[in-house]
Amino acid sequence: MTNTLDSAWLAEQIDDASTKGIAQITATLIREGRIPIGTQLPAVRELAERLGVSPATISAAWGQLKRQKTIAGKGRSGVWVCGDHATPRPVRFEKIGNYGCGIQADLAMACPDPQLLPDLQEAMQQGVRSGKLNSYQRDLITPTLRQALAPRWPFQAQAFMATDGGFDAMNLIIQTLVSPGDKVMIEDPTATRLLDMLDNVGAELLPLACDEQGPQPEILEMQLKKSPVMFIYQPRTHSAAGHTVSESRSAELARLLADSATLVVEDDGIGELSAWPVWSLGRYYPERTLHVRSFSKAYGPDLRLAVLSGPESLVKRLQSFRNFGASWTSRILQDAVAWMLTDPATQRKLQRARDCYADRRRQLLNALAQRGMPLPDRDGLSIYLPVASEQFAMITLAARGIAVLPGERCRCGSAQFIRVSTSMLNKEQVESIADALVLAAGMEIGGHHADL
């Protein structure tokens, strides 16, 4: 029989009645064994009365522990302790790639092809010539990198900061500027790791449906009425759907944002591998736009380099939080990227990479179209494929030795789809993969419905 924890006892242990404090103290009590696994926690309203806080505060604290898989349950059935590991984890991201043996075509991760990346040897030689090498001065960005970026940046920003990759920048922004319970607008679907980051800080998500030109204005207008603190979107070559925000759509979004104080965060994850320019909202609102550009996919994942820009006041806040850890990004890597940005040979190779990725993507799109399943030719390292059932699609493809990314990893809503990486697609595999994808989508082929 499950024991119910005494609310008076738990309230005595909690000396910080904030959402974060309640979650952390309860997690510590569980980890230390003072609240055993299997124990039912007190009713939300009962504990709220004991602590003198609103029920919403307790619910938010329990929400954090649920995301960490420490407690489970809801509603009248109650909430109970199911584990003692309260370390935050990117649950969606960690599931990617765990497909077991028997996979011959791993199309889950939309990674750059190492054969299409620039040779880093000369770039690194240039990097070690960086000024202030080995200095402990916490510079936000090297002058060389900032100068190289100036003609490429989509708006005039006050301050720049180099970070250890795009997701490092996004996590820094979310950890610093989003508090538990804050409302955050984000595209649906979006990047898997962004959802993990927002879950980790206890944000309330406000999904934004997208079309071929980006977030739909009418949905943005509706969600703005809920006073979100932040709007996160991908301005070009969306990581899941491949669409790019058009100039006209950017202007329309800017008009809707005019009367709000919502902070705009742009995640340009594919960076210079995109075939499209960025129409940044920073052109309209430089005082509240943070723009993040990653250089990992275009120039090399091991460079672990991205740059964010924004108003000086916000960048200073980000730097203050960053001082808990590394404080600055390697000047060697910064100046290596700066050199590649201005090296003609590197830029020619980058253009060849764009062309090659587009060719691989179109090979699969053409094969699907020949089988009666036309899809829009967008951009990027993958294709977005609507399916009748994600579960059916995943099982069907796994039985044929193919792994893809299920939509559940990167969506808030219920739309069923899979993301199929094309970045390292082998030409000899295209026909068999197209056959399998048509079956997985649940289409009819030759008058017969596809099934297992």
Side-chain angles (χ1 to χ4, degrees), residues 373 375 384-394 397 404-407 411 414-420 436-443:
M373 192 164 67
L375 295 171
Y384 174 96
L385 178 60
V387 296
S389 164
E390 286 179 22
Q391 183 179 21
F392 175 84
M394 297 298 290
L397 294 171
V404 297
L405 184 72
R411 60 175 162 81
S414 58
Q416 300 286 292
F417 71 91
I418 57 176
R419 190 193 71 180
V420 184
L437 290 175
V438 171
L439 290 170
M443 291 186 62

Side-chain angles (χ1 to χ4, degrees), residues 4 31 126 174 190 236 238 271 300 340 352 392 433:
T4 301
R31 186 168 57 250
Q126 297 294 327
I174 290 169
T190 187
R236 61 174 173 179
H238 191 279
M340 287 191 287
R352 287 195 294 270
F392 175 84
I433 288 173

Side-chain angles (χ1 to χ4, degrees), residues 227-301:
S227 301
V229 301
M230 186 177 290
F231 166 36
I232 300 175
Y233 80 110
Q234 299 174 54
R236 61 174 173 179
T237 310
H238 191 279
S239 61
H243 63 255
T244 290
V245 178
S246 66
E247 184 177 13
S248 60
R249 177 60 54 84
S250 177
E252 195 167 3
L253 299 178
R255 179 181 61 80
L256 294 172
L257 287 161
D259 296 327
S260 79
T262 302
L263 179 65
V264 176
V265 179
E266 299 176 330
D267 176 23
D268 184 13
I270 198 170
E272 299 194 3
L273 275 185
S274 176
W276 301 102
V278 175
W279 300 107
S280 173
L281 289 169
R283 296 176 300 141
Y284 302 92
Y285 309 114
E287 75 286 354
R288 56 182 170 112
T289 298
L290 289 169
H291 183 82
V292 176
R293 178 172 299 178
S294 172
F295 296 94
S296 295
K297 286 186 170 63
Y299 295 95

Side-chain angles (χ1 to χ4, degrees), residues 51 67 94 107 127 166 177 209 247 277 282 288 290 326 334 361 365 422:
L51 291 172
R67 286 188 289 274
E94 287 185 352
L107 308 180
L177 303 177
E247 184 177 13
R288 56 182 170 112
L290 289 169
Q334 290 188 59
R361 186 178 67 250
L365 289 172
T422 56

Side-chain angles (χ1 to χ4, degrees), residues 78-123:
V79 176
W80 65 91
V81 178
C82 62
D84 58 358
H85 302 290
T87 302
R89 299 172 56 203
V91 177
R92 295 178 182 83
F93 177 68
E94 287 185 352
K95 288 181 180 178
I96 299 174
N98 298 329
Y99 299 107
C101 57
I103 296 298
Q104 286 85 46
D106 187 350
L107 308 180
M109 295 287 281
C111 302
D113 185 343
Q115 300 301 315
L116 297 178
L117 292 168
D119 184 352
L120 296 181
Q121 186 170 358
E122 188 171 358

